[in-house]
Structures are given as C-alpha cells and as structure tokens.
C-alpha cells in the first residue's frame, strides 16, 4: 500500500514539473533575433488601478510616464512607468467605445471604434483645444489599434478592412496622411499560418483580430498585436517578419502597446474580472 502511494505521489510530482515546461514551448517558438523580446517573460508586471480594468490603448509620453485609455469613459490616464500607478486622469470626451491612443509633440490622439477621432492638448489637469472629426472609417471597420510613424497615424481594423475605394480581403492596416486613409497591409490568417507551418510547436492560429499597433523606434518594424494572443511583425518594407504566440496565462486580453525611444516595449492587458495589467519588456542585447 505504501509503495502504491509513493508511486502516485512521484507521478503527480513528475506531471507538475513537466507540464508547465511543455506549455511554454509554443510561446517560445520564434526568432529572438527578429523580435528581441522574451514575450513569455516580462521584465516587470504591474497591476493597474481599477479604473483601467478595461484598458484599451497605450502610448509613450516621457521617460517615466505612459498615457492610457479605457473603452468607456472618455478619460485619458497618465501612468507612472516605475509603479503602474495612475498619476492623473483627464476628461476629454463623453462616454464611448475608445480603443486607440497616441501622443505626438504635445498632442494626444484618441480613436473610437467607429472611426471618430479626438485630438487635444494637456494643460495642468485639463484637456484643452479638444477637436473631433469623423474619418472615412465606420463602425463596420471596428477600429482597435492606433499608432504613429513619421508624422502620420497608423490604423488597425479589427472588423471589415474595406473602405470606399479599397476592396481587399483581410484585416486592414492603414496610414492617415493629410486626413486621407491609404492602405498599407492586409493580413489574412492563411498567410500567417503559411509563415509558421513548418514550426514544431506554434504552427496554427485560431484567429487574428488586431487590437494594437506600434512602430519600433530603432528598426521601423511594425508590431501588430491581437487580443487572440498573437503578435505579428512586419519590417519597414511591409514584409512579414515574424509571428509570435503570446501566453494567455500572462496576457488575459492584450489591447495596448507602445515603445520607448530606447526600444523598451510596453503591453497592457484588460483584466476581465480582475485589475488590468501593464507589462514591460527590455530589449535583448547581443
């Protein structure tokens, strides 16, 4: 009887030791030379304020400050990078489905899922010079990701990628120049799966629905995040560079992403029934 109990105990111990290792292989199945971040091993993790339980967008402000939005109240939050604490929150609009935020040279841009945009500046604890306009996108596009590159806004559509004058299949990535949207990339699931088909661990994708977009400040690679726990990277020539599976045990629902000028990566995740999370990733050095 004692022998049986010991055997069972050893078996359980063996399973508990092996299983976590096996589960991590697919999230490590990518080229760290192409994406120099251990996305399965955050440098730091912060639990955010309850107001940011449904954090939906993230942007870099200064050396120790990030900006964030959540998808309900029309408030812009300033977060301390070193603690995850909310330093300030600024009201800029009415309640709505806010999904993307970007900061550039004193101006904050906020995007709603229906293609409506806000721009404003911050003075003390107030939003000033608030402007809004409706772009050529609509609710059918279900916009989720907002980025910035070389003086232009980048848009990632979770829904229909088509707009007037553009009839292509896939998830649409656009650039807005002089208030006109031009298509850059159309992402199809089959192309992503073809890219990873020969991998041992991560070789299939359930879905890809863009939730955030950011440009690496040093390589100009375009990082596109999906709440389906996938990250894709395109190079500056718009060629697919890498496809990464994200650990769902780390990221409940990743919807925000940005970089520091030095290349530090920040990803935010909604918290579900818990508080939202902010993850930092230091760039690997050779």
């Amino acid at each position: 009887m004692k022998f049986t109990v010991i055997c069972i105990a050893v078996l359980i111990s063996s399973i508990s030791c092996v299983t976590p290792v096996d589960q991590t292989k697919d999230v490590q199945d990518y080229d760290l030379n192409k994406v120099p971040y251990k996305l399965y091993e955050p440098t730091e993790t912060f639990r955010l304020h309850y107001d940011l339980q449904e954090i939906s967008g993230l942007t870099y402000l200064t050396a120790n400050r990030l900006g964030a939005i959540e998808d309900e109240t029309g408030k812009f939050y300033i977060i301390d990078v070193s603690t995850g604490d909310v330093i300030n929150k600024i009201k800029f609009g009415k309640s709505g489905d806010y999904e993307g935020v970007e900061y550039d040279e004193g101006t904050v841009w906020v995007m709603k899922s229906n293609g409506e945009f806000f721009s404003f500046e911050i003075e003390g604890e107030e939003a000033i010079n608030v402007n809004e306009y409706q772009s050529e996108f609509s609710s059918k596009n279900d916009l989720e990701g907002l980025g910035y590159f070389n003086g232009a806004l980048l848009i990632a559509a979770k829904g229909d990628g088509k707009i007037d004058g553009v009839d292509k299949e896939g998830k649409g990535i656009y650039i807005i120049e002089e208030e006109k949207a031009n298509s850059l990339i159309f992402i199809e699931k089959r192309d992503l799966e073809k890219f990873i088909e020969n991998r041992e661990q991560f070789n299939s994708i359930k879905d890809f629905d863009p939730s955030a977009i950011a440009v690496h400040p040093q390589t100009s690679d375009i990082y596109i995040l999906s709440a389906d726990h996938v990250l894709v990277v395109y190079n500056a020539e718009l060629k697919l560079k890498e496809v990464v599976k994200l650990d769902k045990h780390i990221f409940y629902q990743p919807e925000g992403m940005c970089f520091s000028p030095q290349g530090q990566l920040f990803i935010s995740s909604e918290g579900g029934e818990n508080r939202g999370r902010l993850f930092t990733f230091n760039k690997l050095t050779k």
Side-chain angles (χ1 to χ4, degrees):
M1 183 66 177
K2 289 183 179 180
F3 177 76
T4 303
V5 172
I6 291 172
C7 287
I8 292 174
V10 171
L11 178 60
I12 292 173
S13 176
S14 299
I15 292 173
S16 64
C17 292
V18 173
T19 301
V21 176
D22 290 342
Q23 288 177 340
T24 63
K25 286 184 178 179
D26 53 356
V27 299
Q28 295 180 14
D29 196 4
Y30 66 97
D31 190 341
L32 288 170
N33 292 311
K34 295 180 179 179
V35 180
Y37 302 92
K38 290 185 177 180
L39 295 167
Y40 46 86
E41 193 176 290
T43 306
E44 292 185 286
T45 301
F46 300 105
R47 298 173 69 187
L48 298 173
H49 191 277
Y50 288 102
D51 285 355
L52 291 170
Q53 183 174 351
E54 296 189 29
I55 184 170
S56 57
L58 200 64
T59 187
Y60 182 85
L61 297 177
T62 66
N64 57 353
R65 297 288 185 269
L66 298 179
I69 56 167
E70 37 81 27
D71 61 6
E72 292 183 351
T73 63
K75 293 178 182 177
F76 178 73
Y77 297 81
I78 299 177
I79 300 173
D80 187 322
V81 173
S82 63
T83 64
D85 293 339
V86 172
I87 303 300
N88 199 0
K89 53 183 177 181
I90 299 163
K91 184 75 172 177
F92 65 86
K94 299 178 181 179
S95 297
D97 189 16
Y98 299 97
E99 296 291 348
V101 62
E102 194 59 57
Y103 175 80
D104 176 63
E105 297 182 353
T107 299
V108 178
W109 294 87
V110 177
M111 178 185 73
K112 295 176 72 173
S113 61
N114 64 359
E116 186 178 356
F117 285 79
F118 290 76
S119 67
F120 57 89
E121 299 167 6
I122 299 173
E123 187 175 89
E125 297 186 358
E126 295 185 357
I128 63 172
N129 300 326
V130 180
N131 295 295
E132 58 183 288
Y133 76 94
Q134 178 64 46
S135 68
E136 51 205 296
F137 298 96
S138 66
S139 57
K140 73 174 184 177
N141 301 118
D142 194 8
L143 303 185
E144 287 252 349
L146 181 64
Y148 194 84
F149 182 62
N150 284 350
L153 294 173
L154 295 178
I155 310 296
K158 176 182 176 182
D160 192 340
K162 301 174 184 177
I163 59 174
D164 288 345
V166 179
D167 187 9
K168 295 183 180 180
E169 297 299 324
K171 304 295 182 178
I173 307 300
Y174 287 81
I175 186 168
I176 295 184
E177 299 173 294
E178 298 181 355
E179 298 189 6
K180 178 175 176 56
N182 296 305
S183 60
L184 282 183
I185 305 167
F186 280 84
I187 304 171
E188 294 195 63
K189 176 186 169 184
R190 63 186 179 188
D191 294 331
L192 301 182
E193 291 199 316
K194 183 177 181 180
F195 187 87
I196 62 175
E197 63 183 354
N198 294 321
R199 293 186 180 176
E200 292 185 7
Q201 301 295 330
F202 177 43
N203 50 34
S204 66
I205 294 173
K206 183 178 180 180
D207 288 300
F208 185 81
D209 298 298
S211 59
I213 184 170
V215 176
H216 196 287
Q218 297 164 345
T219 64
S220 296
D221 287 346
I222 302 172
Y223 284 56
I224 304 165
L225 184 66
S226 169
D228 306 298
H229 302 99
V230 178
L231 174 74
V232 301
V233 179
Y234 286 80
N235 64 21
E237 289 71 43
L238 307 182
K239 301 296 183 182
L240 184 57
K241 183 175 182 178
E242 188 57 286
V243 181
V244 182
K245 181 176 181 178
L246 301 178
D247 191 337
K248 64 181 180 181
H249 299 99
I250 297 176
F251 307 97
Y252 173 78
Q253 189 167 315
E255 292 201 357
M257 178 173 58
C258 66
F259 290 96
S260 74
Q262 295 74 34
Q264 188 175 32
L265 173 61
F266 304 92
I267 296 178
S268 61
S269 177
E270 288 191 4
E273 297 181 357
N274 301 306
R275 292 159 66 177
R277 297 289 191 272
L278 173 66
F279 304 96
T280 68
F281 300 88
N282 290 342
K283 184 180 178 183
L284 300 177
T285 56
K286 296 181 180 180

